[in-house]
Amino acid sequence: MEQLMRDMFLFLSKNKVANKAAKKWGLRFGANRFVAGETIKAAISTVKELNEKGIVATLDHLGEFVFSEEEAIESADYCIRTLEAIAEEGVKSNLSLKMTQLGLDISKELCMKNMRRILDCAKRLNNFVRIDMEDYEHNQITMDIFSELREEYGETVGLVVQAYLYKVEQDIDELNKFKPNLRLVKGAYKESPEVAFPAKEDVDRNFIKIIEKHLLYGNYAAIATHDDNVIEHVKKFVKEHNIPFSQFEFQMLYGIRVQRQLELAKEGYTMRVYVPYGNDWYGYFMRRLAERPANVAFVLKSMFKK
């Protein structure tokens, strides 16, 4: 039953009609548990609260299904305004983005033009931009674009890699020439068993494997997980191999395992929270429900709360 619910929410996450309608609803039905607000101002306010608790952030202006050059440019403008707001308010936050939001499905040239605008701003403001990895269809072109931008912008840009893909270990080996800052995740999209591990235990095993490999390469690892088994394994691994706290961080999603986030920060680990904002929240929200269908109970409670 849980797998059926997961598949249903992943299917709904790509429903363009529902996505369009969601923009009119606003952050109702529990979505505000996972999304910091619809405006940059609301997002910055959330980051300030996190910073006061010893937690840093990465902001993501949500967006899916970009169909025109104008929409892609507008999304890039939001990213630039977000970087500027981070600098103006003095909060501790990076920026995360998806390249389809910047026009990748329209043309690579448009996407690259927007990415360079954003990275020029980030470099000027001494900040960092993380390229989120999307579904498998966009995997290789994302890798290619990252490699090109890494040559141009150096440590200003980082990438996400997904443990559920068979190819991820090879990707990490190939990316090692850049000594990159990678966010390591299990993966949240529904993929064919031809390209991704279908069994959770295999994904978990591969996740640990790529974390260890990336750390032993001496590269910076952003370990994105809510899994205590993984967290405890990493703690022991870095201690055994004398890996300094400055070489890695833990990352979690806004609104999930809040107490655990505080505990890790108090233990001296860099704890970064992924903070999404914007009115185009529907696809992101559906994927959070797919990851943990138990969250549906929270949503239903919110719907009927007076």
Side-chain angles (χ1 to χ4, degrees), residues 213-250:
K213 170 169 276 202
H214 191 59
L215 285 171
L216 290 177
Y217 271 149
N219 302 325
Y220 193 87
I223 301 159
T225 184
H226 305 105
D227 187 334
D228 276 327
N229 292 328
V230 175
I231 292 169
E232 293 306 315
H233 181 92
V234 170
K235 286 182 179 181
K236 292 176 183 176
F237 184 80
V238 297
K239 186 175 181 179
E240 290 170 359
H241 293 271
N242 297 313
I243 294 170
F245 282 19
S246 59
Q247 194 189 319
F248 70 97
E249 64 187 47
F250 289 111

Side-chain angles (χ1 to χ4, degrees), residues 100-117:
T100 53
Q101 189 182 359
L102 301 177
L104 182 59
D105 287 340
I106 299 170
S107 75
K108 179 184 174 183
E109 291 71 27
L110 173 62
C111 179
M112 291 294 284
K113 182 178 179 180
N114 284 326
M115 279 297 306
R116 288 189 175 104
R117 288 176 57 214

Side-chain angles (χ1 to χ4, degrees), residues 22-39:
K23 289 184 180 180
K24 298 180 181 179
W25 298 341
L27 289 171
R28 303 176 187 175
F29 311 136
N32 56 1
R33 176 182 179 179
F34 308 107
V35 179
E38 296 189 353
T39 65

Side-chain angles (χ1 to χ4, degrees), residues 140-160:
Q140 192 55 53
I141 191 169
T142 300
M143 293 276 295
D144 295 342
I145 289 176
F146 168 75
S147 296
E148 189 173 340
L149 292 173
R150 186 65 170 73
E151 294 277 9
E152 293 180 40
Y153 292 92
E155 296 179 0
T156 302
V157 62
L159 183 67
V160 176

Side-chain angles (χ1 to χ4, degrees), residues 26-259:
L27 289 171
R28 303 176 187 175
F29 311 136
N32 56 1
R33 176 182 179 179
F34 308 107
V35 179
E38 296 189 353
T39 65
I40 294 176
K41 183 178 179 179
I44 293 292
S45 177
T46 295
V47 174
K48 284 182 179 178
E49 292 175 6
L50 291 169
N51 288 172
E52 288 169 1
K53 297 171 183 175
I55 295 171
V56 293
T58 182
L59 279 170
D60 174 25
H61 177 247
L62 296 171
E64 312 221 1
F65 307 120
V66 168
F67 299 113
S68 69
E69 183 174 344
E70 290 74 21
E71 288 177 309
I73 292 171
E74 182 182 2
S75 293
D77 289 343
Y78 260 104
C79 290
I80 290 168
R81 290 204 296 272
T82 300
L83 286 167
E84 291 173 341
I86 290 168
E88 288 168 8
E89 296 295 330
V91 295
K92 296 176 181 177
S93 180
N94 301 149
L95 177 74
S96 292
L97 53 77
K98 289 180 174 60
M99 290 196 298
T100 53
Q101 189 182 359
L102 301 177
L104 182 59
D105 287 340
I106 299 170
S107 75
K108 179 184 174 183
E109 291 71 27
L110 173 62
C111 179
M112 291 294 284
K113 182 178 179 180
N114 284 326
M115 279 297 306
R116 288 189 175 104
R117 288 176 57 214
I118 294 165
L119 290 172
D120 284 340
C121 178
K123 195 164 189 176
R124 174 172 56 84
L125 297 174
N126 195 31
N127 209 328
F128 173 80
V129 176
R130 174 92 60 191
I131 298 172
D132 284 338
M133 188 63 75
E134 301 178 66
D135 58 7
Y136 186 76
E137 180 182 351
H138 296 95
N139 180 274
Q140 192 55 53
I141 191 169
T142 300
M143 293 276 295
D144 295 342
I145 289 176
F146 168 75
S147 296
E148 189 173 340
L149 292 173
R150 186 65 170 73
E151 294 277 9
E152 293 180 40
Y153 292 92
E155 296 179 0
T156 302
V157 62
L159 183 67
V160 176
V161 296
Q162 301 158 318
Y164 67 175
L165 295 180
Y166 300 136
K167 71 191 285 285
V168 69
E169 190 176 0
Q170 179 182 340
D171 289 343
I172 285 180
D173 289 339
E174 292 178 0
L175 290 170
N176 185 50
K177 63 186 176 184
F178 297 118
K179 297 298 177 186
N181 178 330
L182 299 180
R183 179 195 293 145
L184 310 170
V185 304
K186 291 185 181 180
Y189 293 86
K190 183 174 175 58
E191 303 290 1
S192 163
E194 293 181 3
V195 300
F197 294 103
K200 179 182 180 300
E201 56 268 25
D202 292 329
V203 176
D204 291 349
R205 190 179 304 110
N206 206 42
F207 190 37
I208 292 293
K209 187 176 184 181
I210 65 170
I211 290 171
E212 292 181 352
K213 170 169 276 202
H214 191 59
L215 285 171
L216 290 177
Y217 271 149
N219 302 325
Y220 193 87
I223 301 159
T225 184
H226 305 105
D227 187 334
D228 276 327
N229 292 328
V230 175
I231 292 169
E232 293 306 315
H233 181 92
V234 170
K235 286 182 179 181
K236 292 176 183 176
F237 184 80
V238 297
K239 186 175 181 179
E240 290 170 359
H241 293 271
N242 297 313
I243 294 170
F245 282 19
S246 59
Q247 194 189 319
F248 70 97
E249 64 187 47
F250 289 111
Q251 293 194 359
M252 292 188 186
L253 299 173
Y254 176 69
I256 299 179
R257 302 215 64 194
V258 175
Q259 188 57 41

